[in-house]
Every structure is written in structure tokens, then in C-alpha cells.
Amino acid sequence: MFLENFLAIFILSSLTGASADNCSSCVSSGNIWCVESSQCNTTFSSCQTQITVQLNCPALPKYAYDDSFMRTQQLTFASASHGDQIQKCFGNQIPTMKLFKLRAVTCSEGNANFTCRGFTAYDVTQKVIVLSFRGSSGTDQSEQLNNGFINEGIQWYPDINGNIFKDLRSLKYKYPGFELWINGHSLGGMLSWVASSYLVTTGLYKAEDIKVVTFGSPRLGDYDFAVWYTNTFLYSFHIIHRADFFARQLRIDPHTNTTVLYHPRTQIWYNNYMNETDQYEICKQADGNYCSDTVQEGLSMWDHIYYFNVNMPAWGRDGCPKDRSSYAQQ
Ligand SMILES: *[C@@H]1O[C@H](CO)[C@@H](O)[C@H](O)[C@H]1NC(C)=O
Ligand SMILES: *[C@@H]1O[C@H](CO)[C@@H](O)[C@H](O)[C@H]1NC(C)=O
Ligand SMILES: *[C@@H]1O[C@H](CO)[C@@H](O)[C@H](O)[C@H]1NC(C)=O
Ligand SMILES: *[C@@H]1O[C@H](CO)[C@@H](O)[C@H](O)[C@H]1NC(C)=O
Ligand SMILES: *[C@@H]1O[C@H](CO)[C@@H](O)[C@H](O)[C@H]1NC(C)=O
């Protein structure tokens, strides 16, 4: 009797698919979770949103996404870091913010002309310290980044130049209770993920005191990195504008044709010009064929340059003028 019941249950469950009532336990047993029907199965004949890895089990971020905060403050930092008029940007947009130090280092073994740049700033009114990184400079540097991955695969860069972290240490010593905001556009966003990881693993900062915001940043880490980063940084948004070409780079290792790189959470996708009051999607998945990655045709370099309907490098280089209208996308 017992055995018959057991067999009946066994046969039933193998007919109806795996018995798991949530996404996490479903995918960890090697099956696929269907979001719309909340079913777990080995395959689906029709299911719109299929989840195959734990990282993508639907979840919303712990902290609210604030469009206005991104559009005013975070956009200003990530744009200012493109140019040499950082304090002027603050004067125009965030008058209480003060530039501390701008740093630049050679960040390519092959070409001393390729530099990575970042600045530190602080604001005693908002009680915040800012660390911001510039995006890649020119197509050469972007190509070098892509080619490095395509030719060499995932690489390990052991040298992180200490100067900007020295500046940060001085600021933290002077303003111990202040929150830290880390941000950047494009390559600057990748450096934000690296720097925040470095600060937390070395113990200089606690992740709960850090807010990370990136704009149009390519993937830089593997699955385990994305899981670790997602679990560590609860305030971390990476904003993607419409069909931004760079934000969709790179996922597949061409040597094996397998997916090796993943974005950490949480993606915010604006499928429009990012004008004020434009809608956005808070992506419940971390990274796969969801949200911005549902669009694979017509990827655009212009959508990479414009965020919140501002040409970030041009606006930043000009000192972030109050009137943004001449920097809008055509
Ligand atoms: C998923 O189900 C497993 C097994 O029933 C349970 O241990 C786990 O807490 C559940 N997770 C969530 C997020 O509900
Ligand atoms: C579940 O998987 C089985 C076996 O592959 C298949 O026959 C069945 O149609 C699937 N169920 C759904 C809802 O797709
Ligand atoms: C670096 O820049 C200088 C000045 O623009 C140029 O002459 C030189 O060829 C560049 N070096 C490389 C390796 O691109
Ligand atoms: C990867 O896929 C491409 C396109 O389908 C194919 O041309 C190439 O040979 C594949 N490479 C490997 C290593 O499987
Ligand atoms: C949004 O931005 C686009 C491109 O700059 C512009 O053509 C359009 O008029 C804007 N819409 C609103 C409502 O501001």
C-alpha cells in the first residue's frame, strides 16, 4: 500500500514536472521556473518568463528607486567626471558639494595614453562623500576593453592604484559618519563595481553605508561575482537607457559560446528618452533575456551617450549648465 502510494506520487510528480513551490528551490534542483504560472518543470511549451538560475528568481530591491535623485545628483557626478569642470558642475547643480581631489592613472599595460580617472567629493549638508569614475575615453579605449575580453577572456587586474583610496581614507577620517555614493557612466560604472567591492572586502567601508549607481555599464564579472555583489550591496542600481549598445556587452565567451558574465542587481530600464515623468522598469531579474535584454535589434551608441535626455560627456565637460535643453537627444 505504502509503496503503491509512493509510486503513484512519484509517477504523478514526474508527469506534472518537478515539485517545487518556489523559484529558488525549483532552479536549484535543475529545473525551470515559469514566472507567470508559478510552475516548475523541465521544459515549458509556452511560458513567457523562464528562470534557470537562482540569481534571476524574481525579487524587488530593498530600497526604493528614486528617479529624481538619479536625474539631479547622480547624473551630475557621472557627467562631471567626464570633464575638468567638476566644481563648476557642482556650483550649477549641487551647490553644497565640494570637489576634494581628481585622480588619473594609466590603466592599460599596452598603451600609456589610456587612463582611468575619478574624483572624490564631499557635502557636509547632505553628509555624504562621493567617489565617481569617468567613462572610457574615445573609441580606442572602448575597443581595447572589448578586445581584451574577446581575446583573453576574463582577466585579473591585481593593481588598484591607491591614491584615490588614500583620498577617500582622508575624507572618511574627517567625516566618519557620512554615507558614501559611488557612481560612474560606462567604464566608470564598471570601476564603481570594482571600487565598491574593494572598499568592502578590505574593510574600509561597510556595504550598508554605500550607494552604488551606474549608467550604461558593460558586464564585468562572472555569475559568482554577480551573486556576491547582489547579496552584499543592497543599494545598487544600474540604469540602462533604451537600446544602449554598451550596457549589453559582453555576455558570451566566444571561446566556449557559453554565458559567462552577469550584471548584479538591480537593473532600471528606461525604454524611452528618459525625459522627466517618463516611465521605467525596475527589473525583477538580475540578468538574462529580461528587461533591457529583450531588445537585441537596433542597439545604439547614442542611447549610451544620452541619459536622462542629456549628453553626459558634453554636458559634464561644459560644467553641467543649468539649462540642459541644448544637450537633449535629437
Ligand atoms: C522555497 O522553498 C524551500 C523548500 O520548500 C524553502 O526552504 C524556502 O524557504 C523557500 N524560499 C522562499 C524564498 O520562499
Ligand atoms: C512539463 O514538462 C513535460 C515534459 O517535458 C511536458 O510534457 C509538459 O508539457 C510541461 N508542462 C508545461 C506546463 O509546459
Ligand atoms: C599616445 O599619444 C601621443 C600624443 O597624442 C601619440 O603621439 C602616441 O602615438 C600615443 N601612443 C599610443 C601607443 O597610442
Ligand atoms: C560559436 O558560435 C558561432 C556562431 O553560432 C560559431 O560560428 C562558432 O564556431 C562557435 N564557436 C565555438 C567555440 O563553439
Ligand atoms: C522628450 O525628449 C525628446 C528628445 O529630446 C523630445 O523630442 C520630446 O519632445 C521630449 N518630450 C517631452 C514631453 O519633453
Side-chain angles (χ1 to χ4, degrees), residues 104-117 134 137 140-141 144:
V105 294
T106 294
C107 56
S108 160
E109 286 182 357
N111 188 336
N113 292 357
F114 289 158
T115 56
C116 292
R117 252 176 39 143
R134 184 189 65 184
S137 177
D140 287 357
Q141 194 173 23
Q144 202 204 22

Side-chain angles (χ1 to χ4, degrees), residues 137-203:
S137 177
T139 45
D140 287 357
Q141 194 173 23
S142 307
E143 271 170 23
Q144 202 204 22
L145 278 171
N146 278 350
N147 294 344
F149 174 70
I150 287 164
N151 298 330
E152 319 289 341
I154 295 179
Q155 298 162 76
W156 171 245
Y157 292 96
D159 298 317
I160 294 185
N161 185 285
N163 280 333
I164 203 162
F165 295 113
K166 209 171 68 194
D167 300 341
L168 195 59
R169 237 176 241 116
S170 312
L171 280 172
K172 193 189 181 223
Y173 185 72
K174 200 163 172 205
Y175 305 112
F178 283 21
E179 200 170 63
L180 175 64
W181 297 348
I182 307 181
N183 57 68
H185 174 216
S186 190
L187 168 65
M190 301 168 83
L191 293 172
S192 300
W193 288 323
V194 173
S196 49
S197 302
Y198 175 80
L199 290 174
V200 164
T201 52
T202 55

Side-chain angles (χ1 to χ4, degrees), residues 218-328:
R219 297 176 179 86
L220 97 163
D222 63 12
Y223 182 84
D224 291 343
F225 172 77
V227 169
W228 176 81
Y229 199 92
T230 294
N231 292 335
T232 304
F233 293 91
L234 300 186
Y235 193 108
S236 171
F237 292 108
H238 70 101
I239 304 171
I240 299 185
H241 177 214
R242 200 161 42 196
D244 181 338
F245 171 82
F246 268 101
R248 288 164 175 75
Q249 311 302 314
L250 287 155
R251 179 194 278 176
I252 309 279
D253 180 346
H255 300 108
T256 57
N257 276 351
T258 54
T259 298
V260 288
L261 298 185
Y262 291 83
H263 271 138
R265 283 173 189 272
T266 293
Q267 177 187 145
I268 306 290
W269 184 38
Y270 289 80
N271 192 17
N272 46 45
Y273 280 105
M274 304 182 78
N275 291 333
E276 276 180 54
T277 73
D278 271 352
Q279 296 297 302
Y280 52 84
E281 183 176 354
I282 300 172
C283 194
K284 291 201 182 81
Q285 288 76 34
D287 191 12
N289 296 319
Y290 317 101
C291 307
S292 68
D293 282 295
T294 54
V295 175
Q296 294 293 345
E297 303 280 304
L299 298 186
S300 156
M301 282 305 299
W302 293 116
D303 286 354
H304 181 64
I305 302 296
Y306 290 86
Y307 273 77
F308 296 99
N309 208 0
V310 162
N311 181 321
M312 291 181 73
W315 187 61
R317 280 196 291 267
D318 291 351
C320 311
K322 287 198 169 82
D323 181 357
R324 304 177 178 191
S325 54
S326 58
Y327 301 91

